[in-house]
Amino acid sequence: MSNPYAYLAEPLDPEDPENKFFNLHKLNDHRYDSLPFSIRVLLESAIRNCDEFLVKKKDVENILNWTVTQYQNVEVPFKPARVILQDFTGVPAVVDFAAMRDAVKNLGGDPEKINPICPADLVIDHSIQVDFNKSSDSLQKNQDLEFERNKERFQFLKWGSQAFKNMRIIPPGSGIIHQVNLEHLARVVFKHNAFYYPDSLVGTDSHTTMIDGLGVLGWGVGGIEAEAVMLGQPISMVLPEVIGYKVYGVPNPLVTSTDIVLTVTKHLRQVGVVGKFVEFFGPGVAELSIADRATIANMCPEYGATAAFFPVDDISVQYLRQTGRGEEKCLYIAKYLKAAGMFRNYSDASQDPGFTQVVELDLGTVVSCCSGPKRPQDKVAVSDMKKDFEACLGAKQGFKGFQIASENHNATVDFAYNDQEFKLAHGSVVIAAITSCTNTSNPSVMLGAGLLAQKAVAAGLSVKPYVKTSLSPGSGVVSYYLKESGVMPYLSQLGFEIVGYGCMTCIGNSGPLPEQVVEAIIKGDLVAVGVLSGNRNFEGRVHPNTRANYLASPLLVIAYAVAGTIRIDFENDPLGVNSDGKEIFLRDIWPTRQEIQEIERKFVIPAMFKEVYEKIEKGNECWNYLKAPTDRLYTWDPKSTYIKAPPFFDNITLDLQPPKSIIDAYVLLNFGDSVTTDHISPAGNIARNSPAARYLTSRGLTPREFNSYGSRRGNDAVMVRGTFANIRLFNKFLNKQSPQTIHLPSGETLDVFDAAKRYQKAGSPLIILAGKEYGSGSSRDWAAKGPYLLGIKAVLAESYERIHRSNLVGMGVIPLEYLPGETAESLGLTGRERYTVVIPEDLTPRTIVDIKLDTGKTFQARMRFDTDVELTYFRHGGILNYMIRKMIKN
C-alpha cells in the first residue's frame, strides 16, 4: 500500500529534485514544534515507513499526540535505520541466522529469505583480553593470542559477512564498537534510496546509547530483537516519557567528563528514569564537547534510561568535520536537520520542547568522584574515598559492604614478586585499567592521563610491578594522538602499555593476575581493588579476585595505581616519595584544563581519523588471510567447541501450538535484588571445576584452551552449562555466594546446570523467584537463552531491566511481576513450594494471572507481555519462531 504521507516529500535542495525528505512542518500541526527532539525522530520514521500494515496512520497520530499518549502505555512501531552488533552478541545472532536458514529449508521454504534487510555492522571488539601487559610488544602478543583462541569464531563471522547481504564486519584490532560507531560508522543523516532521513539504530550492546551524544537516536536491545529488526521488522515499543535534563553552569577546571557522568548517573538513578528517554538541554550543554556528551550518553544503562539524547547542534557538525566526515556530508546533514526541525541551538530557550518532567544540574557543583565498590550508581567523592571504603569493609554484606571483622581491617599479607618483598592489605590496588569506550573516546581525559603520567615520571613516581596496569584504546586514533603528542612513553613507563583495541578489562577480559598476588589475596581473605575507567563494576565482573571495583577517570586510574591503595586521602596523603625523599601529592602533578585543551587542539586532527578509518576493514593482515567457507548454508562442524547448531528450532512446525499453563513447577533459584546478566550468564573465565569446564574437558580441551564464556556464545552446550555459573551468585536457598542450588526433591546441593538437568529428566517445569531489577547490566541474549534451555518457563520478580525482559519475551520465557506492594517476603514465599501459573486463553497485554501453590495458597501476578506484538511472539514460542513462519508464508 502506498504511503498516505507521500505528499510531505519534497526536495531538500531545489537544484537536486531527485533527493527528497519528508517535511514534517507540512503537517501544519502545532503539536510537532512542542515534541521533544527524540520523539521527532520516532515520528519521522513512522511517517516515512507508514504502509497501513506494519506502521499505521494511528501510530503517527499517537506519536504526534505524545503529550497525552506518553501516560497511556501506548504501543508504537519504530523502524531504525540500521543495526550494530559486537562479536559476543553478534556471533550468536549470526548462528541464529544460519540455523534459521536451515529451519526454513527443512520446512520447505527458501533459505535465502533469511537475510538482513536493514543494514548491519558487526564490530569484533569483545574477544581480546589482557594476557600480556608489561612490555612494548604486549599489543601484538595479545592480538596473536586472540586469533589463536578465536580462529573458529572469526572464520564463522567471515563466512557470515560473505553469506549474508547487507552485513559489514569490522575486523578485530580496529577498536571498540561504540567508539568506532561515534568516530566512523554514524551517518547522523542517511542519504539513501533518494531520501534524506535521520540516522537511528538499535544495537546488541546496552551501551549503544553512546551514539545519542552525537544526536543519533539509538539504544540497546536483545540480540533476538535485533535479529528481527535486521529482517525488516519494526521494534514495538511503548511510547516513552521524556525527562528533560537541564544543564547549566560551567564545570570546575579540575573536573573531568567522567566526574560529570558519574554525578549524572547517581542523580538520574534517584530521579527514576527506567524505561524513559532522557533528553539534554540548556546552555550548559554548549560547555560539553561531543566526547563529553558521548561519555554521558554511554552510561545511560547505568542510570536506567532507554536513551540519553543530545540533539544535533553546531558543535556536533564541528565534530563531524574533525573526524573526517567530509564537507559535503556535513553541509547536507545540517541543512536537512534544520529543514526538518531537528537542529538545536542550546542557548535559545525558545527551542526548548515540552517534557514529562524537568530536572537540573549545575555543572559547577560537580566534584571529582569515583563509583563503587560494586555498582556504577554508587558515587563517592574522591575526598571521601578512604573513609567510604573503610566503612564498607565492616558493613553488612551488600552493595556497600564486605562484612570483614573489625579486628581484621588492618590485616596484611607479605608476598614476594620479581625477587622483591611486598605487602597486600584490604584496599590494595591490583588492577588499574584505562579501558572502555566510555572514556577512551574522550581526548581530554586520555591526554589528561598522559600529561599526569608525564608529570608523575618527572616527579620520580612509579607503580608497583605487581599491579596489573593496562591501556586499551577504543580506536587507533587514540594511540595515534597519544604518540604524536609525546605522552605515550610516560604512560608506558608507569606500566600503561597499549594492550589491545577492544573492551578488555571493562567486560571482564582482564586476564590473569600474578599467582603470588592471587595467593596473598586468598590467604588474607583480602578485599583487593580494581580501578578502571569503565562503565560497569558489578561484583565478579572485572576479576574474580577483586571484590571491590571502582569506576574512575583515566587520570584517577593512574593516581590510584601510583598510590597502590584506595585507602588514601589525596588532599592530606602523598602519592609517594621520590628518590630525594620529597613527598609528592596529587595536586602537584594534576594537569590544568588549559594544558589539556592546548595539546588536544594541536594533535587531535581530521587527518588522523581519515588515515585510521580508511583502512579499517582491511587493516588486519591476520583477518585478510583468514579462509572461510563460501556456501550459503553453513556446514556445521560436529567437532567444533565454538560454533554449534542451536536446538531452538529442532521441533518447530508451521502450525501454532496454543500456550499451556505451567503446572507444579519447582523453583530452581531464589534470588534477592539486582541479579545482573553477569550473574545469569557470565562472560569471563570458565572456572576449572564448573559444568562448562567438565564439558570442554570431555571434548579433549585443556584449561588453557577454555577461553571465556563470552567467546563461546556460539555453542549452546557451553552456554547452557555456564548459565548461573557466576561464583558471586547469591542464592537464598544456600544463603551464600555460590554457583549452586538445592535440588528440592532430593535435598542435594548441585551445580545449577546439574540440578536443572535432573528436573528436566523428571519432566518438572522450573521457575525463578527474584527481587527488584532482575537482569540489570549488559544486554545478553544468553541470559534468556540459557534459562530457556535449562527448562525455566517463567521468572517471578518485583521488577525487570528493560532489555532483559525483552530478551525473556523473545525466548518465550514468561516474565511475571508481583503486584504493587507485594514481594516474596510479604506473600510468605520460601521458594520450596510448587507453583502452577494459570495462563488464560484470551491473553491481553499485561494480563494478571493466578498462581496456585501446592500449599493451597493462591496469589496473582502480572504477565509482563507489554504489547500485542510481544504476545504474538509468545504464542509462536519466541520471536525467531515467529520470523521463520512469517518468512515461509510471505
Side-chain angles (χ1 to χ4, degrees):
M1 184 176 287
S2 61
N3 189 328
Y5 295 99
Y7 71 94
L8 298 177
E10 63 179 45
L12 179 63
D13 184 344
E15 295 180 11
D16 179 20
E18 296 300 315
N19 290 297
K20 301 180 179 180
F21 77 109
F22 281 84
N23 187 348
L24 274 56
H25 291 297
K26 283 169 66 176
L27 289 167
N28 293 320
D29 194 314
H30 69 278
R31 293 175 296 179
Y32 179 65
D33 292 326
S34 63
L35 288 177
F37 283 64
S38 50
I39 299 299
R40 297 181 198 187
V41 178
L42 301 184
L43 178 67
E44 191 281 338
S45 173
I47 285 175
R48 178 167 37 86
N49 292 295
C50 188
D51 59 1
E52 288 295 0
F53 175 58
L54 289 174
V55 184
K56 301 181 179 180
K57 283 185 77 172
K58 74 168 187 179
D59 298 317
V60 171
E61 175 58 27
N62 280 334
I63 300 172
L64 261 175
N65 204 28
W66 172 83
T67 53
V68 175
T69 51
Q70 61 173 311
Y71 303 112
Q72 296 177 343
N73 212 44
V74 169
E75 171 192 354
V76 294
F78 174 52
K79 292 190 84 169
R82 59 190 174 99
V83 175
I84 195 164
L85 311 98
Q86 37 89 338
D87 55 305
F88 268 18
T89 49
V91 166
V94 180
V95 166
D96 287 346
F97 266 60
M100 288 168 77
R101 279 194 169 179
D102 291 343
V104 168
K105 181 172 183 280
N106 293 339
L107 290 171
D110 177 8
E112 290 277 343
K113 284 188 174 181
I114 302 295
N115 216 42
I117 296 166
C118 183
D121 296 304
L122 193 157
V123 182
I124 301 174
D125 67 350
H126 273 49
S127 301
I128 191 166
Q129 74 176 38
V130 191
D131 290 285
F132 300 95
N133 67 305
K134 292 294 187 183
S135 60
S136 58
D137 61 351
S138 294
L139 171 63
Q140 190 58 53
K141 286 180 174 178
N142 287 328
Q143 288 183 334
D144 290 346
L145 256 183
E146 177 189 23
F147 259 84
E148 182 186 321
R149 288 173 175 144
N150 297 284
K151 186 178 178 183
E152 281 183 58
R153 297 171 66 244
F154 292 171
Q155 282 177 324
F156 176 69
L157 287 174
K158 196 164 187 181
W159 166 81
S161 69
Q162 297 164 354
F164 297 110
K165 299 169 188 170
N166 238 355
M167 180 183 286
R168 171 170 52 173
I169 305 278
I170 306 297
S174 304
I176 302 174
I177 175 174
H178 308 304
Q179 189 162 340
V180 173
N181 193 18
L182 185 73
E183 294 176 352
H184 176 63
L185 298 176
R187 283 73 155 178
V188 183
V189 170
F190 263 83
K191 185 180 179 183
H192 181 67
N193 285 344
F195 273 95
Y196 296 95
Y197 52 93
D199 187 6
S200 61
L201 71 154
V202 291
T204 57
D205 187 282
S206 49
H207 294 102
T208 299
T209 52
M210 184 169 178
I211 203 63
D212 292 342
L214 187 56
V216 176
L217 185 63
W219 62 86
V221 296
I224 307 156
E225 196 172 7
E227 290 166 37
V229 175
M230 289 163 71
L231 291 167
Q233 293 297 293
I235 281 178
S236 181
M237 61 185 293
V238 174
L239 199 58
E241 296 179 14
V242 181
I243 305 301
Y245 200 87
K246 185 174 184 178
V247 182
Y248 62 95
V250 178
N252 182 298
L254 299 180
V255 159
T256 68
S257 58
T258 316
D259 302 319
I260 295 171
V261 71
L262 296 180
T263 301
V264 169
T265 298
K266 181 172 184 180
H267 185 197
L268 286 174
R269 268 285 171 188
Q270 292 169 334
V271 170
V273 293
V274 173
K276 303 174 185 179
F277 283 4
V278 175
E279 186 167 309
F280 291 82
F281 73 109
V285 177
E287 297 291 326
L288 302 172
S289 68
I290 293 304
D292 293 339
R293 298 176 196 181
T295 297
I296 293 167
N298 176 284
M299 285 192 70
C300 177
E302 281 64 58
Y303 42 86
T306 300
F309 193 62
F310 289 83
V312 173
D313 69 343
D314 286 325
I315 293 174
S316 315
V317 178
Q318 287 169 18
Y319 176 83
L320 294 174
R321 289 191 175 98
Q322 182 191 34
T323 50
R325 283 347 203 266
E327 187 60 25
E328 182 190 346
K329 191 174 286 187
C330 291
L331 288 173
Y332 77 63
I333 286 171
K335 186 171 186 176
Y336 165 75
L337 292 172
K338 287 174 181 176
M342 297 187 195
F343 196 90
R344 269 242 60 165
N345 177 353
Y346 287 101
S347 301
D348 182 0
S350 69
Q351 279 194 9
D352 293 350
F355 294 110
T356 308
Q357 176 188 353
V358 171
V359 292
E360 299 184 353
L361 174 69
D362 177 357
L363 291 173
T365 64
V366 177
V367 298
S368 293
C369 57
C370 300
S371 278
K374 301 182 185 182
R375 294 192 304 182
Q377 64 263 41
D378 293 331
K379 183 190 81 161
V380 186
V382 169
S383 56
D384 296 333
M385 280 286 285
K386 181 179 180 180
K387 66 181 181 184
D388 186 82
F389 177 81
E390 290 175 349
C392 289
L393 273 181
K396 185 181 176 183
Q397 182 73 39
F399 300 126
K400 295 287 286 185
F402 298 101
Q403 212 162 328
I404 303 294
S406 57
E407 62 269 21
N408 295 329
H409 284 196
N410 294 315
T412 61
V413 177
D414 296 317
F415 72 102
Y417 183 76
N418 285 359
D419 299 323
Q420 291 178 271
E421 293 295 321
F422 297 100
K423 287 184 187 293
L424 277 188
H426 294 296
S428 290
V429 172
V430 295
I431 289 177
I434 298 175
T435 182
S436 170
C437 51
T438 310
N439 285 290
T440 68
S441 60
N442 196 321
S444 65
V445 292
M446 296 301 289
L447 288 166
L451 289 171
L452 184 81
Q454 184 176 8
K455 294 183 178 199
V457 170
L461 297 176
S462 61
V463 177
K464 292 181 176 67
Y466 63 81
V467 178
K468 186 157 194 180
T469 47
S470 61
L471 168 57
S472 46
S475 80
V477 173
V478 179
S479 48
Y480 203 140
Y481 65 64
L482 289 178
K483 289 170 184 172
E484 289 293 308
S485 62
V487 298
M488 194 61 228
Y490 303 102
L491 287 162
S492 298
Q493 206 166 325
L494 291 182
F496 289 90
E497 295 282 2
I498 292 175
V499 294
Y501 297 97
C503 301
M504 304 190 87
T505 300
C506 188
I507 57 159
N509 286 359
S510 50
L513 286 171
E515 285 186 20
Q516 303 95 314
V517 172
V518 173
E519 287 169 6
I521 292 170
I522 294 170
K523 181 180 177 182
D525 189 27
L526 298 177
V527 180
V529 175
V531 185
L532 65 153
S533 64
N535 48 42
R536 293 264 166 88
N537 57 338
F538 299 125
E539 199 172 10
R541 178 185 177 95
V542 174
H543 192 281
N545 296 111
T546 57
R547 283 151 72 184
N549 297 282
Y550 287 91
L551 306 182
S553 70
L555 293 89
L556 286 172
V557 170
I558 293 176
Y560 281 114
V562 170
T565 179
I566 215 80
R567 297 168 82 169
I568 181 172
D569 175 355
F570 286 128
E571 193 60 38
N572 299 305
D573 302 336
L575 273 176
V577 179
N578 68 13
S579 56
D580 297 330
K582 182 186 175 185
E583 291 185 337
I584 308 295
F585 289 82
L586 182 58
R587 59 179 171 269
D588 300 329
I589 61 170
W590 194 271
T592 66
R593 177 167 289 204
Q594 187 178 353
E595 285 178 283
I596 296 170
Q597 288 174 341
E598 191 175 317
I599 199 170
E600 183 177 348
R601 274 194 297 271
K602 188 174 179 182
F603 292 104
V604 184
I605 55 175
M608 218 172 253
F609 291 88
K610 195 162 184 273
E611 185 178 331
V612 168
Y613 283 111
E614 270 180 348
K615 58 188 180 185
I616 191 167
E617 289 182 57
K618 298 293 181 186
N620 188 316
E621 290 303 316
C622 292
W623 178 265
N624 295 341
Y625 290 125
L626 193 65
K627 287 186 168 57
T630 55
D631 299 335
R632 292 299 166 192
L633 289 174
Y634 189 70
T635 305
W636 305 96
D637 180 359
K639 295 177 184 175
S640 174
T641 56
Y642 278 101
I643 306 297
K644 177 177 173 292
F648 306 134
F649 314 120
D650 286 355
N651 300 313
I652 190 172
T653 60
L654 277 176
D655 299 322
L656 279 184
Q657 307 298 317
K660 297 176 183 176
S661 294
I662 301 169
I663 309 295
D664 282 338
Y666 283 100
V667 174
L668 179 64
L669 293 151
N670 189 0
F671 294 132
D673 296 341
S674 296
V675 171
T676 71
T677 51
D678 282 296
H679 289 121
I680 303 168
S681 183
N685 293 334
I686 298 171
R688 296 187 182 194
N689 60 347
S690 65
R694 292 195 290 273
Y695 167 78
L696 291 171
T697 301
S698 75
R699 299 297 303 271
L701 273 67
T702 63
R704 184 178 172 276
E705 299 169 304
F706 286 172
N707 209 334
S708 64
Y709 283 113
S711 68
R712 293 193 179 272
R713 285 181 179 166
N715 186 322
D716 63 274
V718 174
M719 295 309 295
V720 70
R721 287 167 172 81
T723 304
F724 300 111
N726 191 316
I727 61 171
R728 300 296 178 196
L729 189 75
F730 189 88
N731 179 5
K732 290 182 183 178
F733 284 154
L734 300 176
N735 203 29
K736 66 176 183 178
Q737 291 182 333
S738 171
Q740 294 183 312
T741 193
I742 294 175
H743 178 250
L744 295 173
S746 67
E748 288 182 65
T749 298
L750 301 171
D751 287 326
V752 173
F753 171 78
D754 296 331
K757 284 295 125 182
R758 276 210 202 171
Y759 284 122
Q760 284 185 319
K761 194 172 181 181
S764 301
L766 297 169
I767 67 167
I768 285 173
L769 298 185
K772 299 182 185 71
E773 298 177 349
Y774 181 74
S776 56
S778 299
S779 161
R780 289 189 186 160
D781 42 336
W782 267 109
K785 289 175 176 176
Y788 167 81
L789 291 178
L790 288 177
I792 292 163
K793 304 298 182 188
V795 178
L796 176 57
E798 292 176 50
S799 64
Y800 293 87
E801 194 277 336
R802 177 185 61 83
I803 299 175
H804 184 63
R805 185 198 64 81
S806 168
N807 274 337
L808 290 174
V809 171
M811 287 309 299
V813 177
I814 304 172
L816 295 167
E817 194 167 274
Y818 293 105
L819 297 184
E822 292 186 348
T823 64
E825 287 72 25
S826 72
L827 293 168
L829 306 180
T830 66
R832 295 177 180 271
E833 311 87 352
R834 297 186 73 174
Y835 292 68
T836 293
V837 182
V838 181
I839 299 176
E841 289 183 17
D842 55 338
L843 280 175
T844 57
R846 300 175 68 84
T847 295
I848 291 176
V849 296
D850 291 327
I851 300 178
K852 299 176 181 178
L853 307 182
D854 61 344
T855 60
K857 183 183 180 72
T858 298
F859 65 97
Q860 291 184 316
R862 188 180 300 280
M863 292 179 82
R864 284 294 311 278
F865 297 123
D866 289 355
T867 65
D868 287 320
V869 171
E870 289 185 345
L871 277 176
T872 299
Y873 296 156
F874 174 61
R875 291 189 182 100
H876 280 264
I879 193 171
L880 301 182
N881 293 0
Y882 166 75
M883 290 306 305
I884 287 171
R885 292 187 179 107
K886 183 181 176 191
M887 288 291 180
I888 289 174
K889 289 175 181 175
N890 281 353

